[in-house]
Amino acid sequence: MVARRTGGTPSPWRNWAGNVTARPARVVAPTSTAEVVDAVRSAVDAGLPVKAVGTGHSFTATAATDGLLIRPERLTGVHALDTAAGTVTVAAGTSLKRLNATLAAHGLSLANMGDIMEQTAAGATSTGTHGTGRSSASLSAQLTALELVTADGEVLHCSATENPDVFASARVGLGALGVVTALTFTVEPEFLLTAREEPMTFDQVTEDFEQLVTENEHFEFYWFPHTGNCLTKRNNRSAGPLAPAGRISAWVEDELLSNGLFQAACAVGRAVPATIPGIAQVSSRALSARTYTDIPYKVFTSPRRVRFVECEYALPRAAAIEALRELRAMIERTGARVSFPVEVRTAPADDIPLSTASGRDTAYLAVHMYRGTPHEAYFSAAERIMTAHGGRPHWGKLHSRDAEYLSGVYPRFAEFTAVRDRLDPHRTFGNAYLRRVLGD
């Protein structure tokens, strides 16, 4: 079977937020690793750079190319599910939504995940997608093996025992080492999570942050700028019984308030920025306390229909609250008008060279702006605060850092670039974003 290739001039590719556009010379949609190999070799022979793309939920141009664009929609499916070993192997283009549904059908689950599941498995892991957790880490840290097509068309099988140096780096590989074609995740028997969502004041949550993180398996909170209000969420394993959020209350909270009315409020704020503080006061009080118990992916994830752009930094956990207070002071001092809440999550240290949690217990501070609203000044000011605390930007979210800065905050940065130099010396998988963040 031959990879489907577009005829004529390919249409431009755009990411989910609409802030990145690519105009590739060629587009293919392979169905197998063999077809990926053929596509890469053909592009190399033609002198074209190569990038594989996921669903476009990154805000950076990490997957943009003017060469060959490899699309994910036909490279999908579950290759193997080993209940005894506690592993599942999927094709790289498989969506997290499909992966979660398949696991649930077999009474299995990932240990942790982010808050959306639209991304492809390879796209999510390659950019370091994470949720929040006291001891359970990112999706990339849950990988036990992966398959990688390199610039010379070789297929590498990578794990802790097979090509271990490549495996170590490729778990968060930014698409810089090759095309990931399959991934193996560790899974466990399905469990129940009880979610407790509760409003809390900014002063209380910042004062009790360490206690809240320590006492809960998964803790996160959202602070609403221009207010002293936060919404907290605590997810902990439960013996049950299953008690999902009621259909009406879930629709009100997740669709009406978090998506429908919130989008309308953001649109008003974009048109008339002076209304944002007042809207924030109302929005921060609209979401009420609720408790429900369900299988993991139905608790960890929620719909995100309001389009935005985002900047997120990983900080040493001990610096998170100081940085958040500085962010609040900056917003008040500069008169910035911010309609989106600031999200705070945590992760344990892991051993992946370019993971944002590499080698240190981490807290994440994420700032957002509604799509179409000027964000540059706010994000730049936030970055100055984060970098003063040794922050590491999320690879898939907007930032202005370069290789000189990043090599100073990632102790194993040179380990990654050495693997890149060996696997892709001619930068077949390079682009402008990777030149900036990795050097060339």
Side-chain angles (χ1 to χ4, degrees):
M1 195 170 187
V2 178
R4 183 180 298 161
R5 179 173 169 180
T6 59
T9 302
S11 299
W13 174 86
R14 292 180 177 85
N15 68 341
W16 176 82
N19 67 304
V20 176
T21 300
R23 292 176 173 81
R26 296 180 187 173
V27 177
V28 297
T31 63
S32 66
T33 299
E35 290 183 5
V36 172
V37 170
D38 290 343
V40 170
R41 286 176 172 166
S42 177
V44 170
D45 288 344
L48 294 174
V50 178
K51 295 302 296 180
V53 70
T55 54
H57 276 75
S58 288
F59 301 93
T60 63
T62 185
T65 186
D66 58 2
L68 172 67
L69 186 73
I70 299 178
R71 295 190 59 90
E73 57 264 23
R74 301 173 76 211
L75 192 65
T76 61
V78 175
H79 292 337
L81 200 158
D82 189 331
T83 302
T87 60
V88 61
T89 301
V90 297
T94 307
S95 71
L96 297 180
K97 179 183 292 186
R98 180 175 177 182
L99 171 59
N100 282 322
T102 300
L103 292 176
H106 289 83
L108 299 168
S109 177
L110 297 168
N112 198 359
M113 61 195 78
D115 57 8
I116 64 171
M117 53 180 179
E118 307 307 318
Q119 312 102 308
T120 63
T125 54
S126 294
T127 54
T129 295
H130 63 89
T132 190
R134 181 182 62 200
S135 56
S136 54
S138 70
L139 286 169
S140 306
Q142 296 172 62
L143 289 175
T144 62
L146 59 85
E147 182 180 81
L148 185 75
V149 175
T150 65
D152 60 6
E154 183 180 4
V155 179
L156 294 183
H157 299 279
C158 307
S159 67
T161 57
E162 191 174 8
N163 297 303
D165 59 332
V166 178
F167 177 66
S169 290
R171 285 177 289 171
V172 180
L174 313 183
L177 306 179
V179 179
V180 175
T181 49
L183 308 102
T184 301
F185 293 88
T186 184
V187 295
E188 59 182 284
E190 189 174 74
F191 52 93
L192 294 177
L193 282 175
T194 293
R196 176 183 169 191
E197 299 174 5
E198 181 180 20
M200 192 177 291
T201 66
F202 181 92
D203 291 341
Q204 183 182 357
V205 75
T206 53
E207 181 68 26
D208 296 342
F209 178 68
E210 275 301 318
Q211 180 180 348
L212 289 163
V213 171
T214 301
E215 292 180 349
N216 294 281
E217 292 177 82
H218 309 274
F219 175 73
E220 63 186 307
F221 72 93
Y222 300 83
W223 166 59
F224 294 80
H226 314 295
T227 80
N229 303 321
C230 298
L231 180 70
T232 63
K233 185 173 181 179
R234 289 168 251 200
N235 297 332
N236 290 288
R237 297 198 183 205
S238 169
L242 186 72
R247 291 180 62 183
I248 294 176
S249 64
W251 180 84
V252 169
E253 294 281 340
D254 296 332
E255 292 293 348
L256 179 62
L257 295 179
S258 297
N259 286 293
L261 289 182
F262 183 56
Q263 170 138 349
C266 287
V268 170
R270 182 176 63 187
V272 188
T275 63
I276 288 176
I279 291 172
Q281 290 288 344
V282 174
S283 299
S284 67
R285 292 187 173 93
L287 297 170
S288 58
R290 62 172 176 167
T291 300
Y292 55 96
T293 301
D294 214 327
I295 61 176
Y297 82 87
K298 294 184 178 181
V299 174
F300 285 129
T301 68
S302 55
R304 291 287 185 269
R305 309 196 200 285
V306 181
R307 304 216 176 195
F308 54 86
V309 290
E310 181 178 358
C311 171
E312 181 180 64
Y313 269 76
L315 306 177
R317 200 171 90 188
I321 296 306
E322 181 182 351
L324 180 62
R325 289 175 175 144
E326 291 172 6
L327 183 68
R328 184 185 192 186
M330 178 272 290
I331 292 172
E332 294 173 352
R333 183 179 66 253
T334 62
R337 293 292 180 255
V338 182
S339 57
F340 260 79
V342 175
E343 184 179 20
V344 182
R345 295 177 287 176
T346 66
D350 63 42
D351 63 351
I352 304 171
L354 291 191
S355 165
T356 47
S358 183
R360 70 187 189 192
D361 288 340
T362 294
Y364 296 94
L365 271 64
V367 298
H368 314 68
M369 287 291 265
Y370 184 51
R371 186 174 67 172
T373 304
H375 64 272
E376 292 82 2
Y378 175 43
F379 284 10
S380 293
E383 279 198 277
R384 286 192 290 272
I385 293 168
M386 304 306 169
T387 55
H389 292 281
R392 300 166 176 168
H394 189 299
W395 295 109
K397 299 178 183 179
L398 294 178
H399 68 92
S400 62
R401 300 301 91 192
D402 60 15
E404 181 179 5
Y405 174 86
L406 294 165
S407 64
V409 294
Y410 282 97
R412 298 173 65 183
F413 189 86
E415 178 182 334
F416 182 93
T417 56
V419 173
R420 184 192 187 206
D421 288 343
R422 177 163 60 85
L423 294 184
D424 189 20
H426 303 297
R427 303 300 187 250
T428 295
F429 303 108
N431 63 10
Y433 177 73
L434 294 182
R435 283 193 294 275
R436 173 162 67 87
V437 300
L438 298 178
D440 201 15

